[in-house]
Amino acid sequence: MTLRERKQQQAREQIIEAAFALFAERGFAQVSVTDIAARAQVGRTTFFRYFGDKQEVLFADEQRLIDEFTAASTASVPAPRDLAGALLQLWGLTFEMREVVLGDHASFPVRQRLIAAVPELQDRSGRKMQRIAEALEQVLRARGADPELALLASQVGIACFRVALQTAGEDPQKVMPAMERVVRLVISTASPSP
């Protein structure tokens, strides 16, 4: 990283930290972009260089996660042949990238509270989940999965993640164990009994 890139990364991180601190103190609606910029000690122009609005700050790692999932599509992995195999591949990928999936553990509870309380953030979160599902579908297709199976598995995988988030509440440490339980429950329910 060049000095300029490090300074840009530092400014972006300052904005994210400031926003989460203010959201925790005041709630989402009571915080403006001007408030965030002032707390981060940057100008409004700098804020808008990194984020289109204050909602985007809450979902700052979305593109990074999609990029990392997309990069995983090049892995040499056998094509899944059924829903169980596809879900296990997606679970493995999600677990491998858990730090990016969950984001900063300190801000996780604030994000979850805000999403639960603010309808516009629930909508934004839903759109984020759909974009991630589309990236996961492409991963499975690139690995040779049947298109219909890839679509189904990616949507079921996102549903498993949503259930895990609700089960975990505000504790990021509980998300991955909850997701594994849910994925295994779906697989055992979908598989015929011997």
Side-chain angles (χ1 to χ4, degrees):
M1 234 187 228
T2 66
L3 177 61
R4 183 170 187 260
E5 289 170 334
R6 282 197 305 272
K7 285 185 175 184
Q8 289 174 336
Q9 181 66 27
Q10 183 180 15
R12 187 176 187 275
E13 288 172 6
Q14 283 175 253
I15 292 167
I16 293 169
E17 273 183 39
F20 273 95
L22 287 167
F23 294 151
E25 291 168 15
R26 303 181 195 168
F28 186 75
Q30 293 73 28
V31 176
S32 69
V33 168
T34 302
D35 296 332
I36 296 169
R39 175 74 66 97
Q41 298 180 341
V42 300
R44 282 176 52 89
T45 304
T46 301
F47 177 94
F48 288 116
R49 188 175 302 135
Y50 299 101
F51 301 101
D53 58 28
K54 65 182 183 176
Q55 277 190 26
E56 281 188 28
V57 178
L58 284 174
F59 303 99
D61 287 334
E62 176 182 353
Q63 191 57 51
R64 178 180 169 210
L65 180 59
I66 288 170
D67 291 344
E68 292 203 20
F69 279 143
T70 301
S73 66
T74 61
S76 179
V77 177
R81 297 190 175 175
D82 56 21
L83 182 59
L87 283 175
L88 286 173
Q89 281 192 22
L90 294 181
W91 158 245
L93 191 57
T94 303
F95 185 77
E96 183 181 310
M97 296 185 187
R98 64 192 172 278
E99 293 307 315
V100 182
V101 169
L102 297 174
D104 178 60
H105 285 219
S107 59
F108 182 89
V110 175
R111 182 184 305 108
Q112 293 310 107
R113 269 193 304 268
L114 291 172
I115 291 170
V118 181
E120 65 191 89
L121 296 178
Q122 291 166 15
D123 179 61
R124 178 67 178 81
S125 178
R127 284 184 279 130
K128 169 191 170 182
M129 293 286 187
Q130 184 54 38
R131 285 190 68 213
I132 292 168
E134 290 164 5
L136 293 172
E137 177 187 353
Q138 292 309 311
V139 167
L140 291 174
R141 288 181 72 156
R143 292 178 174 183
D146 172 79
E148 191 173 79
L149 174 62
L151 175 60
L152 175 62
S154 65
Q155 294 297 325
V156 172
I158 287 295
C160 291
F161 183 66
R162 287 177 188 244
V163 170
L165 283 176
Q166 288 182 350
T167 303
E170 295 181 8
D171 187 349
Q173 299 293 335
K174 293 181 178 178
V175 176
M176 289 298 138
M179 185 171 178
E180 183 176 17
R181 283 192 311 274
V182 173
V183 166
R184 296 209 180 275
L185 176 62
V186 169
I187 289 170
S188 69
T189 304
S191 300
S193 299

